[in-house]
Amino acid sequence: MSQEEFPRPQQAPHRPSYTEPDGRPASPAPPLPSQHEARAAAPPPSRPRIAALDVIRGFALCGILLANVKPIAHMVDAVPVTQAVVTKGQGGEEWPGLFVDQRFFPIFSLLFGVGFSLLLDSASRSVARPRVLLLRRLLALLAIGLVHMFLLWRGDILTIYAVVGLVVLLPSTWLPRWAVAGLAAILIVLPPILGSNGVPLVPGLFLLGSALTRYGVIAGIERATWGPVALFLVFVAGAVAAAWLQIEASADDTHFNPWFGVAGLLTAGTYVCGVLLLLKTPLRSLLQRIFAPLGRMALTNYLTATLLVLLTASLIGGSPDSWTSATVVPIAGGILAVQWLWSTLWLRSYRQGPLEWLWRWATWARRPPLR
């Protein structure tokens, strides 16, 4: 047997010795960071933005403000979306109850679940304990929501989002995606059956957004064509039927209209699919210029809208109950115009809105770049 057939004894790696100029042994070099430490020290990931999500979020923000102008100005004690009533909209008019009220908050709730799962996916490749990062994010949102609720408007939705995120969305990250999708279906269908609208739908919508992300639907949303077309037709047919039933039920003057929430969900689906289809037309660049800046600074714009509505209401005076669409629409339009200009100019110099930046700072527990 030759020498090469015998296993070579393992030798300790050679460590060169170094000395200082005065002859003293040099201090040993610091050890290389472990894989765990390297992941923990990794900078926040930079994921390419999905333009369609920014546009849809900005579009939803416009509708939410339109629905919230009177409740904010009136400083009601209850959260508007939890009011289990079906009226003829604002000021006795039909169209807000058919096209605005509870038609946009489902979109915002769905997108919250989408964003949560996108962040989990990115954080899983950058930090050792991504769920701790998500926990900090939800706790920071809870703090923001509580300040907004107690200082400005009791109808704040951020507090509800944070609590539902802590109780439902964060624990769901340990479940397989098929279980998340199944729970989403149950929690979306159950509230209308039990006679509830609004906030009870939030857990299911959160989970639906998470499931769509985990199944790769969101990643391919820009490429999909026939899916949005088919869903748009289904949602339109369902929304028209549900809206007709909503009108018929509201004629009975009952306290609760079971079709209000159903029509809201179907109309929200129609809006989302409609926007996705329009983004595949020459109108894409126009839609991006109008809605994307609002969507990229959604948190900042949602909170500052409360201040602007309260300021406007104090200047107008009188009871908001007497406001019709002729008052509400110009107020919402004026505020959105100011926010669009502010968002567009801000994003030319900075990566994200000021409150989004602070929220990201709290999420990652270190200061992110702003420019």
Side-chain angles (χ1 to χ4, degrees):
M1 185 178 292
S2 64
Q3 183 177 358
E4 286 76 18
E5 293 178 276
F6 290 96
R8 294 178 178 270
Q10 293 186 351
Q11 299 179 354
H14 175 67
R15 293 181 177 272
S17 59
Y18 299 97
T19 58
E20 301 288 355
D22 59 1
R24 292 183 293 105
S27 301
L32 293 175
S34 65
Q35 183 178 4
H36 174 84
E37 294 170 334
R39 292 185 69 197
S46 57
R47 169 191 291 272
R49 299 191 68 89
I50 302 176
L53 296 183
D54 288 331
V55 172
I56 295 172
R57 188 180 296 108
F59 173 75
L61 188 73
C62 296
I64 288 173
L65 176 58
L66 188 60
N68 285 347
V69 165
K70 286 179 66 174
I72 293 174
H74 199 48
M75 296 297 291
V76 293
D77 293 330
V79 180
V81 295
T82 63
Q83 294 173 347
V85 294
V86 173
T87 66
K88 294 184 178 181
Q90 306 180 40
E93 298 167 309
E94 290 280 1
W95 72 268
L98 294 175
F99 300 103
V100 177
D101 298 336
Q102 201 164 325
R103 270 58 177 172
F104 291 93
F105 108 87
I107 303 175
F108 226 62
S109 301
L110 179 76
L111 292 177
F112 189 90
V114 169
F116 188 88
S117 289
L118 287 175
L119 179 59
L120 175 62
D121 181 62
S122 296
S124 298
R125 296 192 294 266
S126 303
V127 297
R129 296 188 295 174
R131 291 178 179 85
V132 174
L133 182 145
L134 295 173
L135 176 62
R136 287 199 301 264
R137 186 170 183 82
L138 291 171
L139 291 176
L141 183 66
L142 179 61
I144 295 171
L146 289 173
V147 171
H148 182 231
M149 181 173 64
F150 285 110
L151 294 184
L152 296 175
W153 182 41
R154 295 185 182 179
D156 169 79
I157 195 65
L158 301 180
T159 305
I160 296 172
Y161 276 16
V163 172
V164 174
L166 290 168
V167 175
V168 176
L169 200 51
L170 185 59
S172 74
T173 60
W174 279 279
L175 297 177
R177 61 185 185 178
W178 62 264
V180 175
L183 282 174
I186 294 172
L187 293 177
I188 290 175
V189 172
L190 202 57
I193 294 177
L194 298 178
S196 299
N197 291 320
V199 170
L201 291 168
V202 170
L205 292 167
F206 276 10
L207 294 178
L208 177 59
S210 177
L212 291 174
T213 304
R214 294 173 66 174
Y215 272 101
V217 175
I218 300 302
I221 198 172
E222 295 276 14
R223 301 186 301 271
T225 301
W226 293 111
V229 170
L231 287 174
F232 178 77
L233 296 176
V234 171
F235 280 130
V236 166
V240 170
W244 181 80
L245 292 170
Q246 173 186 327
I247 295 173
E248 290 294 314
S250 63
D252 297 335
D253 197 25
T254 56
H255 181 67
F256 174 75
N257 188 327
W259 293 104
F260 185 51
V262 176
L265 289 172
L266 293 172
T267 305
T270 302
Y271 288 161
V272 170
C273 293
V275 171
L276 289 176
L277 293 177
L278 288 175
L279 286 173
K280 299 184 180 299
T281 70
L283 293 175
R284 178 184 178 90
S285 60
L286 178 62
L287 292 173
Q288 284 187 284
R289 285 197 299 269
I290 294 174
F291 295 114
L294 294 171
R296 290 180 61 184
M297 291 178 52
L299 178 62
T300 298
N301 288 327
Y302 173 78
L303 294 173
T304 56
T306 303
L307 292 171
L308 294 174
V309 170
L310 293 174
L311 176 61
T312 304
S314 65
L315 295 176
I316 294 176
S319 173
D321 290 333
S322 62
W323 293 356
T324 64
S325 298
T327 302
V328 173
V329 173
I331 291 175
I335 291 173
L336 289 171
V338 171
Q339 290 184 329
W340 176 84
L341 180 61
W342 139 265
S343 300
T344 301
L345 295 176
W346 178 273
L347 292 173
R348 288 179 181 176
S349 302
Y350 303 100
R351 295 186 179 187
Q352 53 192 160
L355 291 180
E356 286 78 8
W357 178 70
L358 291 174
W359 194 19
R360 185 176 177 85
W361 189 346
T363 298
W364 292 92
R366 55 184 175 272
R367 182 179 178 179
L370 182 57
R371 290 184 178 273

